[in-house]
Amino acid sequence: MQKQICSLLLCGCLLCSAGCSDGEQASSAVEIVVDSNFQAAPVPDGGWTFESLSETVRINGKSITLPFCIDQLGEDYVFDEASQVGTTYTILYRGKSAFIVKLSEADTGDLRQRKAIRFGTDDPNKTDGITGAIQINGIGEGATMQEVKEALGTPYEETDRSFNYTDADGNKLCYLLFNDAGKVQAIFYNFEIIT
């Protein structure tokens, strides 16, 4: 009889703990941070340089120094090593796909210490990812074409689906893709020119 009672109590404890952990998972939503104090920079006379545009880049609300390494972002960011294609990886934020990075081939060793030379939003069609982690001069996913032009100026190249921004020497700085509704669907930022 005591064994049956102990077994029932043990089963009850396991069920309760399983129920608690499910509840904890459901309530731990991944939240993107937006810097509400961020003031967009005016478009510089003569256009953007790598340095001036870089000062406006935020990853999950955090200002970063480019080129950056994932270690600078904090422990909530990890490499999804299964996503590796060459030196390009998906970066997970609290277990969810957040953005992609291409690492410098000159660096070797610990991935978290290797410099990123390009980064961008992850596949917008993924259902397991998060959106809005990357912003350039206050522009993120969902911004309209007009909002992009107000924040970044006239693109060097423009189609009905993309804007390409370069510096005065023609070096690509950032590239934005738009969906059918004319809203930013993806952002890519290049700083390979300084590495």
Side-chain angles (χ1 to χ4, degrees), residues 137 139-140 142-153 183:
N137 206 26
I139 294 298
T144 66
M145 290 180 163
Q146 185 59 38
E147 290 170 330
V148 172
K149 285 183 178 180
E150 288 170 8
L152 300 177
K183 295 189 176 188

Side-chain angles (χ1 to χ4, degrees), residues 126-185:
K126 278 189 176 178
T127 57
D128 64 340
I130 57 175
T131 59
I134 296 174
Q135 291 193 331
I136 299 176
N137 206 26
I139 294 298
E141 292 169 88
T144 66
M145 290 180 163
Q146 185 59 38
E147 290 170 330
V148 172
K149 285 183 178 180
E150 288 170 8
L152 300 177
T154 303
Y156 175 73
E157 294 176 339
E158 175 181 347
T159 72
D160 61 342
R161 297 297 296 233
S162 66
F163 288 176
N164 184 13
Y165 289 88
T166 64
D167 66 13
D169 295 328
N171 296 306
K172 290 183 179 181
L173 297 175
C174 67
Y175 186 75
L176 295 94
L177 298 176
F178 297 91
N179 61 19
D180 292 336
K183 295 189 176 188
V184 174
Q185 181 175 5

Side-chain angles (χ1 to χ4, degrees), residues 38 50-58 63-64 66 137 189:
F38 178 77
F50 169 78
E51 292 79 12
S52 62
L53 192 57
S54 293
E55 291 175 5
T56 74
V57 174
R58 302 287 183 273
S63 176
I64 58 170
L66 300 176
N137 206 26
Y189 196 83

